[in-house]
Amino acid sequence: MNDSQLNTLTASAAAQDIREGRLSAEALLDACLARVARFNPGLNALVTLDEAGARAAAKAADRKRASGGDLPPLLGVPVSIKDAFETRGLRTTASFKPLTDYVPDRDATVVARLRAAGAVIVGKSNLPELAGAPHCWSPLFGLTRNPWNPALTPGGSSGGAAVAVAAGFSLLEAGSDLAGSIRIPAAYCGVSGFKATENRIPRTGHIPHLPEHLGGVRSVRRMLSFGALGRSVADLQLGLAVMAGPDGIDSEVPALPVAGASRRDDGRPLRLLLWDDWGLPLCERTRAVFARLPEKLSAAGHVLRRGSGAGVDPAELREVFGLIAGVEIGLGMPGWQRHAFLVLRHLLPPSEQLMRAISRGLRFDMRAYNRALDRREQWIQQLEAELADVDALLCPVASTVAYPGQPLGPFDRPPRLTVAGQRLPYLEATIGLTVPFSLSGSPVVALPAGVEDGLPVGVQLVGRRWGDDALLAAAARLEPALGGFLMPPALR
């Protein structure tokens, strides 16, 4: 396998090629490791490499294929794992200094399922401390850089994951998403990302919560979802089929069937709702891509109508998300850290709406928390009604495309970002358009929608809760019209 072949290869295509004998797992791994050696020093996407373990797994995959019989769905496919998921015998840090030398004795459920599906685990990908930011700077491993422009961030928290897939270090990643942590990096790096319905995929072995020797308190119980990053929607369908379903530990995961890529296309035009006004400005690149969407989708035969979001106050949704997130994240914080954030809250201007709401949540006002949960239920009902007669809602992933990367710790004041001539608070500019669908727990696919002035732009496709398969099927039909994955020019 050479670079030009790897530039366009997807996880689903690789799995089929290996099963049918056109490609060996060892040859594919060699090609991925060659790219790691060439490009990872500059991009810093993978922070722990397991070359010996990956080679052993690839050899085993080739032996299994040669022996015949039933073959698992990801046999021989190189995957990487966000360093928030525990990996048996392989360092897992979540970019948290007390976990610098932590080597778990068990796999997170999603990791165990990927192994059982035949995946070859190449290594662990970088993230901000405890997956707690929309950029990708780690106090342990430093800054991860965007493959389209190394001066820019790949987004976060699954930043290393998106870079690894875009660069060909791996072909599939397991990711987690509380406030856009799969969707934002996917958009900034030009790959596809899928956040499943809340509780569709078990959280067992994901940090946070912390391992037992550091307290083990389960904190974030709502709005956190899991999923995959890949180069095509078929990759995301494969990831869901492998990772979803109860594990006997995370009791909130229901037993639901997964259709995967086998869901039939009935041939009718997709009915789509375009909603790009969420009370925040959009950068010029994003506006340009969204201006072309109606013509693109109409030419592909789909039916698009513009929505106004009547009765929806996006600022209120961001406020409600922030308060719930503040309470639940705060439950896992050391007391001194929570107190420090409460002190810093008084220094925040009124325009820092999301950060102020998170800080209010840290006060643990249970009446306010319960009111926020009630408002969340109302928003879920409202959004489900909006989606009742369409296949998906389309909206931007973020106000801006990738912006300059820099070291930012939890107590550093992030810069404001200039978007369409307005100086936006950092969280509003980055996660302001993703958190409404974290609040609702909806399934969301982030797809590359085009490259504008040298940077990729993403679109969110939002579906009905528990309608993950239907949403992915719709995304697969939209993918050709939107353009799909492109290898970043500097890596070709």
Side-chain angles (χ1 to χ4, degrees):
M1 163 148 296
N2 57 40
D3 264 0
S4 62
Q5 293 169 312
L6 186 55
N7 284 348
T8 58
L9 189 65
T10 65
S12 50
Q16 185 171 351
D17 285 347
I18 290 170
R19 281 197 305 272
E20 296 177 3
R22 292 187 294 273
L23 177 63
S24 76
E26 284 193 84
L28 177 54
L29 177 63
D30 284 342
C32 289
L33 290 176
R35 291 187 71 86
V36 172
R38 184 178 173 191
F39 294 115
N40 195 55
L43 295 174
N44 194 33
L46 296 184
V47 295
T48 298
L49 195 63
D50 186 19
E51 183 171 347
R55 290 196 181 281
K59 288 178 184 292
D62 284 335
R63 288 195 300 270
K64 188 172 185 65
R65 192 204 65 78
S67 68
D70 292 336
L71 301 176
L74 282 171
L75 184 69
V77 176
V79 306
S80 45
I81 305 293
K82 183 177 181 178
D83 200 26
F85 291 99
E86 291 183 320
T87 41
R88 183 186 71 249
L90 188 62
R91 182 177 62 170
T92 301
T93 72
S95 285
F96 186 49
K97 287 185 178 179
L99 293 174
T100 300
D101 299 315
Y102 176 51
V103 178
D105 58 7
R106 64 172 187 175
D107 281 327
T109 293
V110 299
V111 176
R113 288 176 173 176
L114 288 166
R115 287 195 205 270
V120 172
I121 295 177
V122 177
K124 308 295 290 288
S125 60
N126 202 19
L127 72 161
E129 184 176 31
L130 294 174
H135 53 258
C136 198
W137 176 78
S138 163
L140 297 181
F141 306 113
L143 198 64
T144 297
R145 301 183 181 278
N146 192 303
W148 287 83
N149 181 338
L152 306 181
T153 181
S157 60
S158 305
V163 176
V165 170
F169 302 163
S170 65
L171 296 178
L172 190 71
E173 260 264 8
S176 54
D177 188 315
L178 173 64
S181 286
I182 289 174
R183 293 164 282 166
I184 293 167
Y188 285 4
C189 296
V191 300
S192 298
F194 173 59
K195 174 188 91 69
T197 301
E198 180 182 342
N199 293 323
R200 188 74 194 270
I201 295 171
R203 71 186 67 207
T204 308
H206 180 267
I207 302 169
H209 57 278
L210 292 173
E212 290 181 6
H213 72 280
L214 291 178
V217 176
R218 179 172 169 180
S219 53
V220 181
R221 291 178 175 267
R222 293 170 178 83
M223 304 190 298
L224 175 62
S225 297
F226 304 91
L229 296 97
R231 292 178 164 189
S232 70
V233 176
D235 297 349
L236 307 181
Q237 291 171 315
L238 193 52
L240 176 67
V242 167
M243 294 189 288
D247 64 353
I249 302 172
D250 187 344
S251 61
E252 297 178 36
V253 178
L256 294 174
V258 178
S262 63
R263 186 182 176 94
R264 288 189 175 182
D265 175 3
D266 60 13
R268 65 172 175 79
L270 290 174
R271 299 160 300 171
L272 305 167
L273 177 64
L274 177 62
W275 187 355
D276 56 8
D277 183 4
W278 289 85
L280 292 170
L282 300 177
C283 73
E284 185 176 344
R285 288 180 171 96
T286 302
R287 289 200 311 272
V289 166
F290 270 75
R292 292 194 293 269
L293 270 185
E295 183 179 352
K296 275 187 174 183
L297 298 180
S298 176
H302 305 303
V303 177
L304 183 72
R305 66 178 173 87
R306 186 173 291 277
S308 61
V312 175
D313 181 351
E316 182 198 13
L317 298 181
R318 293 191 287 270
E319 178 91 11
V320 173
F321 167 86
L323 194 144
I324 295 172
V327 171
E328 301 213 345
I329 292 169
L331 289 170
M333 276 185 179
W336 67 268
Q337 192 177 43
R338 188 172 68 88
H339 178 72
F341 273 105
L342 287 171
V343 171
L344 289 173
R345 168 176 171 260
H346 298 290
L347 304 176
L348 295 171
S351 60
E352 300 269 359
Q353 181 199 18
L354 261 167
M355 185 58 75
R356 287 173 65 89
I358 291 169
S359 298
R360 277 196 294 277
L362 294 174
R363 293 164 51 195
F364 294 163
D365 180 339
M366 296 311 292
R367 286 185 182 275
Y369 177 59
N370 194 55
R371 285 194 296 271
L373 292 177
D374 286 344
R375 182 63 186 96
R376 169 176 133 106
E377 289 298 322
Q378 293 166 8
W379 166 233
I380 290 171
Q381 294 167 21
Q382 191 172 12
L383 181 58
E384 291 290 296
E386 289 275 358
L387 293 167
D389 61 351
V390 297
D391 295 292
L393 165 68
L394 274 63
C395 65
V397 175
S399 284
T400 180
V401 294
Y403 53 91
Q406 59 180 292
L408 282 172
F411 291 102
D412 293 328
R413 185 76 179 273
R416 291 193 166 223
L417 300 179
T418 300
V419 180
Q422 298 184 43
R423 296 280 288 168
L424 288 187
Y426 182 71
L427 290 186
E428 277 72 6
T430 53
I431 66 172
L433 301 181
T434 50
V435 296
F437 311 114
S438 298
L439 182 64
S440 66
S442 307
V444 187
V445 176
L447 286 182
V451 175
E452 190 70 24
D453 193 19
L455 290 178
V457 177
V459 58
Q460 289 187 97
L461 278 66
V462 184
R464 293 183 286 276
R465 283 170 60 95
W466 309 113
D468 304 69
D469 289 305
L471 175 66
L472 285 164
R477 294 183 60 192
L478 286 178
E479 189 174 32
L482 295 177
F485 170 74
L486 293 172
M487 173 66 71
L491 307 186
R492 292 173 190 167

